[in-house]
Amino acid sequence: MNTIHINQAGYLPESEKIAVLPFQAETFKVIDTDGNVAFEGKCTRFGFDENSGDTVCKADFSELKTDGEYRVVAADAASPLFRIGEHALDKTFRDLVRAYYYFRCGCELKPENAGKFTHGACHTSPASEWFDHSVKKDVSGGWHDAGDYGRYVTPGACAAAQLLYAYILYPNALGKLDLNIPESGNGMPDFLSEVKYELDWLMKMQKADGAVYHKVSTAQHARFVMPENDMGALYLLPISSMATADLAAVCALGYRVYKEFDSDYAGKLLDAAKLSLGWLDEDPQFIGFRNPEGCVTGGYGEGGDKDNRFWAYSEMFAATGDEKYLDKAKELLVYDFPRTEFGVGSIGGFGTLAYLTSGRIPESDRLAEAFKSMFISQAQRLRWLADRSGYMAAMDERDYGWGSNMGLMKHGMIFAVCDTLCGAHEFGVYAKRQFDVLMGVNAVGMSYVSGNVERAIGHPHLRPAATDGIDECIPGFVSGGANRRPVEGIAEKYIPKGTPPMKSFADVQDLYSVNEVTIYWNSPAVFVAAYLMN
Ligand code: 9MR
Ligand code: ZN
């Protein structure tokens, strides 16, 4: 049966509201829960949408601003239920952030915070160095990376950075969130307490000389068991210069944010940043990462570390105002890494943000202007994609790969940054449209955020969700999303060959290449939601 695609969380009263119909209709109605017609309008033909294979039309009901719960109906089809109101996005927003609490490793998740989704303390034993088991270290804590239980420094730093920048730019939305976490009420915004949980762990991954282990994990991914039942030995995998630079960067960034709330802690972060930066200064060589034989958990290798170093020096300049760091950052600009990427794997965009948000540059600084133009030209390209998409998704066919919702949300971030930092306010609505796509204005008609709404993903590739014996899915997790090249094996059964890219998805637990969750897929969604809520 036909359905009508809307943002299932809903819409703020003043926001644009456009439903997408994957069929032709002349008119549509918006009806409330009593069956009363709240709005009537004409559909606009869009035509064929390549990435979905759908011929669509659009129903614009932006004028409807009255609080309530509604469905859009046209012909014999109806949309899922959604809300219009000041608080329409509150629950989804809070859940997206609270997912990090459920990602926590090394502590018990107790019923008073976790509700029914409890688990025991996990992965608390000391980890041994992979190549010398006699070297052991306590590196407990932090967030599990994803559906697996590995903890990797570079994705961890990336997720934390996206969250901290969301806080820097949108403190009104994030600062007042009540997350009901163990730290709630301690005087620090809950949001920052949650990110601190990851930063504390990241600092444990630093060696005495400042170099940083690339990751800690078991040798293989755990079977599908609750985290406290994953008893495999934990290993510290060798250092990398990416991990070392990212640690320096995110700690310097943390210093800027936490100094307002806890100067001792901020000082600790800055010391950690300086230690790792000192190590980088002495060793300009790129030390990449590859899994040694026998280790098959996430690799997170990168082809170079110039972007990581650029980020680290830029953050150090922003944190301290010391020009020597700025000079180092500028020297790295001779290399041609992307300046507007927010990870994972390519993170130069954070260095750019550090510079722009440092508060240490004059109003009409040339480099700042150049950085802003880069964000804007990126946004122009993305807007072009969104305008030719039946679903308003700023996505190219090739963007529908593993974790495509990260791409979608990072594109939302670019639009948001253009509005917030670059004075290009015309891109704001495009950020909102990407969030709409995530929340249901997509060719599978699903909210890619678990929980809450009528048609949300409910079977993500996430070990605790799969093994807790509870039917209901833990809310707030962003699924990887449509992938035009899902890992072969069982995918074909659910996603036949030739399925259009935007439809290459199935809400099936085993399909990790389309339906896993990660800490760095939630974070850009938090960023975009915070932008909308601020
Ligand atoms: O996102 C990664 C994807 O591009 C790779 O092809 C895949 C296989 O190595 O790994 C993905 O990353 C996973 C990581 O290795 C472990 N944690 C979960 C990540 C997302 O699936
Ligand atoms: Zn754990």
Side-chain angles (χ1 to χ4, degrees), residues 53-84:
D54 290 337
T55 300
V56 310
C57 60
K58 296 183 184 181
D60 189 334
F61 55 102
S62 305
E63 281 166 45
L64 179 60
K65 296 174 183 181
T66 317
D67 268 39
E69 286 192 301
Y70 306 95
R71 290 178 200 279
V72 176
V73 298
D76 62 347
S79 76
L81 202 64
F82 63 93
R83 185 178 283 277
I84 294 176

mmCIF file of all heavy atoms in Angstrom, residues 53-84:
data_model
loop_
_atom_site.group_PDB
_atom_site.id
_atom_site.type_symbol
_atom_site.label_atom_id
_atom_site.label_comp_id
_atom_site.label_asym_id
_atom_site.label_seq_id
_atom_site.Cartn_x
_atom_site.Cartn_y
_atom_site.Cartn_z
ATOM 1 N N GLY A 53 14.061 5.782 -7.398
ATOM 2 C CA GLY A 53 13.246 5.150 -8.432
ATOM 3 C C GLY A 53 11.775 5.526 -8.308
ATOM 4 O O GLY A 53 10.921 4.952 -8.980
ATOM 5 N N ASP A 54 11.458 6.480 -7.448
ATOM 6 C CA ASP A 54 10.060 6.879 -7.242
ATOM 7 C C ASP A 54 9.716 8.095 -8.097
ATOM 8 O O ASP A 54 10.543 8.980 -8.298
ATOM 9 C CB ASP A 54 9.834 7.292 -5.774
ATOM 10 C CG ASP A 54 9.908 6.113 -4.806
ATOM 11 O OD1 ASP A 54 9.699 4.962 -5.254
ATOM 12 O OD2 ASP A 54 10.181 6.351 -3.614
ATOM 13 N N THR A 55 8.455 8.125 -8.546
ATOM 14 C CA THR A 55 7.932 9.337 -9.152
ATOM 15 C C THR A 55 7.087 10.008 -8.074
ATOM 16 O O THR A 55 6.110 9.433 -7.614
ATOM 17 C CB THR A 55 7.092 9.009 -10.398
ATOM 18 O OG1 THR A 55 7.965 8.332 -11.320
ATOM 19 C CG2 THR A 55 6.557 10.266 -11.053
ATOM 20 N N VAL A 56 7.524 11.173 -7.665
ATOM 21 C CA VAL A 56 6.943 11.734 -6.445
ATOM 22 C C VAL A 56 6.231 13.060 -6.684
ATOM 23 O O VAL A 56 6.463 13.738 -7.685
ATOM 24 C CB VAL A 56 8.026 11.951 -5.353
ATOM 25 C CG1 VAL A 56 8.860 10.702 -5.149
ATOM 26 C CG2 VAL A 56 8.918 13.140 -5.661
ATOM 27 N N CYS A 57 5.355 13.392 -5.757
ATOM 28 C CA CYS A 57 4.894 14.769 -5.661
ATOM 29 C C CYS A 57 4.945 15.218 -4.208
ATOM 30 O O CYS A 57 5.143 14.394 -3.307
ATOM 31 C CB CYS A 57 3.520 14.974 -6.311
ATOM 32 S SG CYS A 57 2.206 14.012 -5.638
ATOM 33 N N LYS A 58 4.844 16.506 -4.013
ATOM 34 C CA LYS A 58 5.069 17.070 -2.687
ATOM 35 C C LYS A 58 3.827 17.791 -2.174
ATOM 36 O O LYS A 58 3.077 18.366 -2.946
ATOM 37 C CB LYS A 58 6.260 18.040 -2.724
ATOM 38 C CG LYS A 58 7.553 17.310 -3.063
ATOM 39 C CD LYS A 58 8.765 18.201 -3.042
ATOM 40 C CE LYS A 58 9.976 17.375 -3.507
ATOM 41 N NZ LYS A 58 11.221 18.146 -3.501
ATOM 42 N N ALA A 59 3.645 17.707 -0.877
ATOM 43 C CA ALA A 59 2.501 18.354 -0.235
ATOM 44 C C ALA A 59 3.031 19.296 0.827
ATOM 45 O O ALA A 59 3.602 18.874 1.817
ATOM 46 C CB ALA A 59 1.599 17.294 0.397
ATOM 47 N N ASP A 60 2.861 20.593 0.567
ATOM 48 C CA ASP A 60 3.410 21.611 1.469
ATOM 49 C C ASP A 60 2.310 22.093 2.414
ATOM 50 O O ASP A 60 1.307 22.656 1.976
ATOM 51 C CB ASP A 60 3.947 22.778 0.625
ATOM 52 C CG ASP A 60 4.721 23.785 1.469
ATOM 53 O OD1 ASP A 60 4.457 23.889 2.694
ATOM 54 O OD2 ASP A 60 5.589 24.473 0.901
ATOM 55 N N PHE A 61 2.507 21.855 3.686
ATOM 56 C CA PHE A 61 1.512 22.327 4.675
ATOM 57 C C PHE A 61 2.183 23.192 5.733
ATOM 58 O O PHE A 61 1.779 23.218 6.896
ATOM 59 C CB PHE A 61 0.754 21.148 5.295
ATOM 60 C CG PHE A 61 1.632 20.083 5.922
ATOM 61 C CD1 PHE A 61 1.802 20.030 7.304
ATOM 62 C CD2 PHE A 61 2.280 19.143 5.140
ATOM 63 C CE1 PHE A 61 2.601 19.058 7.895
ATOM 64 C CE2 PHE A 61 3.102 18.163 5.722
ATOM 65 C CZ PHE A 61 3.262 18.120 7.103
ATOM 66 N N SER A 62 3.198 23.944 5.293
ATOM 67 C CA SER A 62 3.942 24.811 6.218
ATOM 68 C C SER A 62 3.030 25.774 6.976
ATOM 69 O O SER A 62 3.337 26.163 8.104
ATOM 70 C CB SER A 62 4.994 25.622 5.458
ATOM 71 O OG SER A 62 5.834 24.753 4.732
ATOM 72 N N GLU A 63 1.912 26.141 6.336
ATOM 73 C CA GLU A 63 1.020 27.116 6.975
ATOM 74 C C GLU A 63 0.316 26.569 8.201
ATOM 75 O O GLU A 63 -0.185 27.330 9.030
ATOM 76 C CB GLU A 63 -0.034 27.584 5.981
ATOM 77 C CG GLU A 63 0.482 28.625 5.019
ATOM 78 C CD GLU A 63 -0.473 28.803 3.861
ATOM 79 O OE1 GLU A 63 -1.699 28.884 4.095
ATOM 80 O OE2 GLU A 63 0.018 28.821 2.719
ATOM 81 N N LEU A 64 0.236 25.259 8.306
ATOM 82 C CA LEU A 64 -0.412 24.674 9.483
ATOM 83 C C LEU A 64 0.554 24.762 10.661
ATOM 84 O O LEU A 64 1.629 24.158 10.655
ATOM 85 C CB LEU A 64 -0.800 23.211 9.201
ATOM 86 C CG LEU A 64 -1.459 22.455 10.362
ATOM 87 C CD1 LEU A 64 -2.746 23.123 10.811
ATOM 88 C CD2 LEU A 64 -1.724 21.004 9.974
ATOM 89 N N LYS A 65 0.160 25.555 11.676
ATOM 90 C CA LYS A 65 1.068 25.809 12.794
ATOM 91 C C LYS A 65 0.443 25.447 14.141
ATOM 92 O O LYS A 65 1.052 25.653 15.194
ATOM 93 C CB LYS A 65 1.469 27.287 12.804
ATOM 94 C CG LYS A 65 2.270 27.655 11.563
ATOM 95 C CD LYS A 65 2.576 29.123 11.444
ATOM 96 C CE LYS A 65 3.315 29.351 10.117
ATOM 97 N NZ LYS A 65 3.668 30.734 9.911
ATOM 98 N N THR A 66 -0.771 24.947 14.085
ATOM 99 C CA THR A 66 -1.503 24.654 15.320
ATOM 100 C C THR A 66 -0.970 23.375 15.965
ATOM 101 O O THR A 66 -0.813 22.357 15.298
ATOM 102 C CB THR A 66 -3.005 24.460 14.995
ATOM 103 O OG1 THR A 66 -3.392 25.477 14.077
ATOM 104 C CG2 THR A 66 -3.841 24.510 16.253
ATOM 105 N N ASP A 67 -0.742 23.453 17.268
ATOM 106 C CA ASP A 67 -0.297 22.284 18.026
ATOM 107 C C ASP A 67 -1.235 21.103 17.795
ATOM 108 O O ASP A 67 -2.442 21.269 17.804
ATOM 109 C CB ASP A 67 -0.347 22.611 19.528
ATOM 110 C CG ASP A 67 0.971 23.136 20.020
ATOM 111 O OD1 ASP A 67 1.589 23.906 19.255
ATOM 112 O OD2 ASP A 67 1.363 22.775 21.140
ATOM 113 N N GLY A 68 -0.654 19.946 17.633
ATOM 114 C CA GLY A 68 -1.510 18.769 17.532
ATOM 115 C C GLY A 68 -0.791 17.596 16.909
ATOM 116 O O GLY A 68 0.382 17.693 16.543
ATOM 117 N N GLU A 69 -1.520 16.483 16.821
ATOM 118 C CA GLU A 69 -0.993 15.294 16.161
ATOM 119 C C GLU A 69 -1.800 15.056 14.898
ATOM 120 O O GLU A 69 -3.037 15.154 14.917
ATOM 121 C CB GLU A 69 -1.103 14.092 17.095
ATOM 122 C CG GLU A 69 -0.069 14.131 18.205
ATOM 123 C CD GLU A 69 0.000 12.808 18.944
ATOM 124 O OE1 GLU A 69 -1.043 12.381 19.491
ATOM 125 O OE2 GLU A 69 1.080 12.196 18.952
ATOM 126 N N TYR A 70 -1.098 14.738 13.854
ATOM 127 C CA TYR A 70 -1.743 14.700 12.542
ATOM 128 C C TYR A 70 -1.246 13.548 11.673
ATOM 129 O O TYR A 70 -0.208 12.938 11.941
ATOM 130 C CB TYR A 70 -1.435 15.993 11.769
ATOM 131 C CG TYR A 70 -1.783 17.264 12.486
ATOM 132 C CD1 TYR A 70 -0.822 17.953 13.227
ATOM 133 C CD2 TYR A 70 -3.071 17.806 12.399
ATOM 134 C CE1 TYR A 70 -1.135 19.148 13.875
ATOM 135 C CE2 TYR A 70 -3.384 19.002 13.034
ATOM 136 C CZ TYR A 70 -2.422 19.662 13.768
ATOM 137 O OH TYR A 70 -2.731 20.846 14.392
ATOM 138 N N ARG A 71 -2.021 13.328 10.588
ATOM 139 C CA ARG A 71 -1.539 12.522 9.470
ATOM 140 C C ARG A 71 -1.809 13.298 8.184
ATOM 141 O O ARG A 71 -2.814 14.029 8.108
ATOM 142 C CB ARG A 71 -2.302 11.197 9.353
ATOM 143 C CG ARG A 71 -2.025 10.216 10.452
ATOM 144 C CD ARG A 71 -2.868 8.943 10.291
ATOM 145 N NE ARG A 71 -2.933 8.246 11.557
ATOM 146 C CZ ARG A 71 -1.970 7.443 12.023
ATOM 147 N NH1 ARG A 71 -0.898 7.188 11.298
ATOM 148 N NH2 ARG A 71 -2.083 6.859 13.201
ATOM 149 N N VAL A 72 -0.939 13.097 7.196
ATOM 150 C CA VAL A 72 -1.221 13.635 5.868
ATOM 151 C C VAL A 72 -1.919 12.525 5.100
ATOM 152 O O VAL A 72 -1.464 11.370 5.148
ATOM 153 C CB VAL A 72 0.086 14.040 5.142
ATOM 154 C CG1 VAL A 72 -0.210 14.507 3.716
ATOM 155 C CG2 VAL A 72 0.811 15.135 5.922
ATOM 156 N N VAL A 73 -3.011 12.819 4.427
ATOM 157 C CA VAL A 73 -3.704 11.812 3.623
ATOM 158 C C VAL A 73 -3.895 12.317 2.196
ATOM 159 O O VAL A 73 -4.089 13.513 1.970
ATOM 160 C CB VAL A 73 -5.078 11.410 4.224
ATOM 161 C CG1 VAL A 73 -4.911 10.779 5.601
ATOM 162 C CG2 VAL A 73 -6.019 12.595 4.296
ATOM 163 N N ALA A 74 -3.808 11.385 1.257
ATOM 164 C CA ALA A 74 -4.055 11.708 -0.152
ATOM 165 C C ALA A 74 -4.386 10.397 -0.854
ATOM 166 O O ALA A 74 -3.806 9.363 -0.527
ATOM 167 C CB ALA A 74 -2.838 12.349 -0.802
ATOM 168 N N ALA A 75 -5.313 10.473 -1.801
ATOM 169 C CA ALA A 75 -5.806 9.260 -2.459
ATOM 170 C C ALA A 75 -6.141 8.236 -1.370
ATOM 171 O O ALA A 75 -6.802 8.568 -0.395
ATOM 172 C CB ALA A 75 -4.785 8.751 -3.467
ATOM 173 N N ASP A 76 -5.616 7.002 -1.476
ATOM 174 C CA ASP A 76 -5.954 6.015 -0.440
ATOM 175 C C ASP A 76 -4.809 5.864 0.562
ATOM 176 O O ASP A 76 -4.731 4.894 1.293
ATOM 177 C CB ASP A 76 -6.245 4.664 -1.094
ATOM 178 C CG ASP A 76 -5.033 4.126 -1.844
ATOM 179 O OD1 ASP A 76 -4.067 4.907 -2.069
ATOM 180 O OD2 ASP A 76 -5.037 2.935 -2.194
ATOM 181 N N ALA A 77 -3.895 6.832 0.582
ATOM 182 C CA ALA A 77 -2.693 6.679 1.414
ATOM 183 C C ALA A 77 -2.699 7.645 2.595
ATOM 184 O O ALA A 77 -3.330 8.706 2.552
ATOM 185 C CB ALA A 77 -1.449 6.920 0.563
ATOM 186 N N ALA A 78 -1.979 7.244 3.631
ATOM 187 C CA ALA A 78 -1.854 8.106 4.814
ATOM 188 C C ALA A 78 -0.428 8.044 5.323
ATOM 189 O O ALA A 78 0.248 7.024 5.194
ATOM 190 C CB ALA A 78 -2.818 7.644 5.895
ATOM 191 N N SER A 79 0.014 9.130 5.911
ATOM 192 C CA SER A 79 1.356 9.146 6.511
ATOM 193 C C SER A 79 1.271 8.580 7.919
ATOM 194 O O SER A 79 0.190 8.479 8.492
ATOM 195 C CB SER A 79 1.864 10.589 6.594
ATOM 196 O OG SER A 79 1.223 11.261 7.669
ATOM 197 N N PRO A 80 2.413 8.223 8.507
ATOM 198 C CA PRO A 80 2.410 7.942 9.935
ATOM 199 C C PRO A 80 2.032 9.201 10.711
ATOM 200 O O PRO A 80 2.026 10.306 10.161
ATOM 201 C CB PRO A 80 3.871 7.546 10.221
ATOM 202 C CG PRO A 80 4.476 7.231 8.900
ATOM 203 C CD PRO A 80 3.732 8.064 7.900
ATOM 204 N N LEU A 81 1.749 9.006 11.981
ATOM 205 C CA LEU A 81 1.373 10.110 12.866
ATOM 206 C C LEU A 81 2.586 11.000 13.135
ATOM 207 O O LEU A 81 3.706 10.507 13.275
ATOM 208 C CB LEU A 81 0.886 9.502 14.183
ATOM 209 C CG LEU A 81 -0.012 10.335 15.078
ATOM 210 C CD1 LEU A 81 -1.338 10.639 14.379
ATOM 211 C CD2 LEU A 81 -0.254 9.589 16.396
ATOM 212 N N PHE A 82 2.363 12.300 13.224
ATOM 213 C CA PHE A 82 3.448 13.215 13.586
ATOM 214 C C PHE A 82 2.854 14.372 14.364
ATOM 215 O O PHE A 82 1.640 14.549 14.412
ATOM 216 C CB PHE A 82 4.176 13.728 12.334
ATOM 217 C CG PHE A 82 3.299 14.530 11.424
ATOM 218 C CD1 PHE A 82 3.233 15.916 11.535
ATOM 219 C CD2 PHE A 82 2.512 13.910 10.466
ATOM 220 C CE1 PHE A 82 2.408 16.662 10.707
ATOM 221 C CE2 PHE A 82 1.674 14.650 9.639
ATOM 222 C CZ PHE A 82 1.619 16.029 9.760
ATOM 223 N N ARG A 83 3.708 15.156 14.952
ATOM 224 C CA ARG A 83 3.279 16.236 15.822
ATOM 225 C C ARG A 83 3.714 17.586 15.249
ATOM 226 O O ARG A 83 4.761 17.701 14.622
ATOM 227 C CB ARG A 83 3.943 16.020 17.187
ATOM 228 C CG ARG A 83 3.543 16.974 18.275
ATOM 229 C CD ARG A 83 4.262 16.582 19.568
ATOM 230 N NE ARG A 83 3.657 15.422 20.210
ATOM 231 C CZ ARG A 83 2.592 15.486 21.006
ATOM 232 N NH1 ARG A 83 2.024 16.634 21.271
ATOM 233 N NH2 ARG A 83 2.100 14.394 21.554
ATOM 234 N N ILE A 84 2.903 18.587 15.470
ATOM 235 C CA ILE A 84 3.334 19.967 15.247
ATOM 236 C C ILE A 84 3.298 20.664 16.601
ATOM 237 O O ILE A 84 2.325 20.514 17.338
ATOM 238 C CB ILE A 84 2.417 20.697 14.244
ATOM 239 C CG1 ILE A 84 2.545 20.068 12.845
ATOM 240 C CG2 ILE A 84 2.770 22.197 14.163
ATOM 241 C CD1 ILE A 84 1.595 20.650 11.790
#
